Amino acid sequence: MIEQTSAFCCPICGKALWKEAKSLRCAMGHCYDYAKSGYVNLLMSQQGGLHGDDRPMVRARTAFLSAGHYRPLLDLMYSVLRDRLPRAPHIMDAGCGEGWYTQVIHELLCRDGYLPETVGVDISRDALAAAAKRKFGAEFAVASLFHIPLSNHWADLIVNVFAPDCMDEYFRVLSPGGYLLKVIPREDHLLELKQAVYDSVYENEISLPEHDGFSLLSNTVLRKKLCLTDNETIKNLFAMTPYGRKTSPADLAKLENLTELETTISFSVLLYQKV
Ligand SMILES: [Zn+2]
């Protein structure tokens, strides 16, 4: 039997983790079982108060993303990064959720002759159960982005779509000259969707992450209209947003009979390099 190492390292002692039939184990004997779906839980117990997307949110996200509504965003992300990576890049999707971006980027790189080693990290077990079931050769771990179970300088690329800016950890995990590809919503992202639900609507505030160890190489804006033509898709999109959990039943009810919506989608795709 050939022993294989995991890309992840032990969150307790930092040593390499070896793949066993049902778990990952380090030389110190710390052991982490795979969940049935195939992800591993590397979250330290003292970080257990955090939570992420629950199952209905994960389902909404998977349905919406796999229908291709955000494919133009993904294609832009890919065009920004693809010629910059080494032949066998190490990639971490930080806050990977249910894994759609993780999988499509991994598969586009394989198509173009790269040999990516890809991992996804998220705080939500429900999201990672969905991600791990995609079975495209990536490893997924439940962990905090403030305590990433990867060794120093492991990653050539960190992908971060709407996820927290843990810049000190990203700096530690990235190789010298490595890239952080970050997507943030712009002021007018989903403006018409919000107008359909709320009486008064504010534009999103934009703040670009800053860190002395990174230089911003490019900021590419994608803005387009999305035409949604069925109620389920509209509700799925709303459920994906941060508003999904914070909206009153009266406001949520306004979505019930909405069968058509044209809404703006608007993103900044930011490429940082570790300097
Ligand atoms: Zn250990």
Side-chain angles (χ1 to χ4, degrees):
M1 196 181 105
I2 301 167
E3 284 198 319
Q4 275 193 312
T5 46
S6 167
F8 293 117
C9 60
C10 178
I12 295 174
C13 69
K15 291 190 188 304
L17 287 169
W18 298 88
K19 291 181 181 174
E20 298 183 339
K22 290 181 175 171
S23 54
L24 296 179
R25 186 186 297 270
C26 78
M28 302 290 288
H30 303 125
C31 187
Y32 308 91
D33 289 342
Y34 287 112
K36 213 172 181 182
S37 54
Y39 71 85
V40 68
N41 184 1
L42 299 179
L43 191 69
M44 309 301 292
S45 56
Q46 65 268 28
Q47 302 163 341
L50 302 163
H51 62 89
D53 290 359
D54 58 18
R55 225 170 280 181
M57 286 173 78
V58 171
R59 269 199 297 270
R61 201 178 289 274
T62 298
F64 186 87
L65 292 174
S66 47
H69 299 293
Y70 277 4
R71 183 64 197 228
L73 169 61
L74 192 132
D75 288 339
L76 174 61
M77 291 164 63
Y78 189 64
S79 71
V80 165
L81 67 86
R82 73 167 239 182
D83 294 328
R84 295 178 176 272
L85 296 179
R87 226 53 207 159
H90 286 181
I91 300 171
M92 175 180 75
D93 192 347
C96 64
E98 52 75 66
W100 181 76
Y101 296 94
T102 332
Q103 180 175 15
V104 181
I105 289 172
H106 180 94
E107 289 177 347
L108 285 172
L109 286 167
C110 292
R111 181 201 69 183
D112 290 343
Y114 290 89
L115 300 165
E117 182 171 356
T118 301
V119 302
V121 171
D122 201 282
I123 202 74
S124 162
R125 289 168 177 75
D126 289 329
L128 281 197
K133 282 178 193 157
R134 292 175 173 273
K135 306 284 182 213
F136 61 93
E139 288 187 88
F140 290 97
V142 176
S144 164
L145 294 180
F146 294 94
H147 189 83
I148 299 168
L150 290 170
S151 56
N152 295 352
H153 309 160
W154 180 84
D156 300 298
L157 170 69
I158 294 176
V159 176
N160 174 315
V161 183
F162 308 147
D165 298 320
C166 305
M167 300 299 272
D168 287 340
E169 265 299 77
Y170 300 161
F171 185 80
R172 179 186 68 79
V173 165
L174 275 175
S175 60
Y179 297 97
L180 169 65
L181 185 73
K182 163 101 189 144
V183 179
I184 59 170
R186 293 194 62 83
E187 297 91 339
D188 53 348
H189 181 55
L190 302 181
L191 187 64
E192 297 85 349
L193 177 65
K194 290 194 281 184
Q195 284 167 342
V197 175
Y198 302 116
D199 294 330
S200 54
V201 169
Y202 302 94
E203 291 199 331
N204 302 319
E205 275 181 39
I206 294 188
S207 68
L208 302 189
E210 283 182 19
H211 189 285
D212 286 346
F214 289 96
S215 67
L216 179 61
L217 300 185
S218 63
N219 176 355
T220 315
V221 174
L222 173 69
R223 177 179 285 110
K224 68 191 288 285
K225 294 280 189 191
L226 204 60
C227 295
L228 305 176
T229 54
D230 70 277
N231 182 254
E232 197 184 338
T233 305
I234 295 167
K235 285 202 285 192
N236 283 342
L237 176 57
F238 192 77
M240 284 166 58
T241 68
Y243 325 115
R245 284 199 266 215
K246 299 186 261 190
T247 303
S248 71
D251 281 340
L252 272 180
K254 296 177 194 167
L255 285 173
E256 281 308 317
N257 297 314
L258 203 58
T259 54
E260 217 179 290
L261 178 74
E262 188 179 81
T263 190
T264 305
I265 54 172
S266 182
F267 311 98
S268 268
V269 176
L270 307 161
L271 185 69
Y272 292 86
Q273 186 169 29
K274 176 173 168 175
V275 290

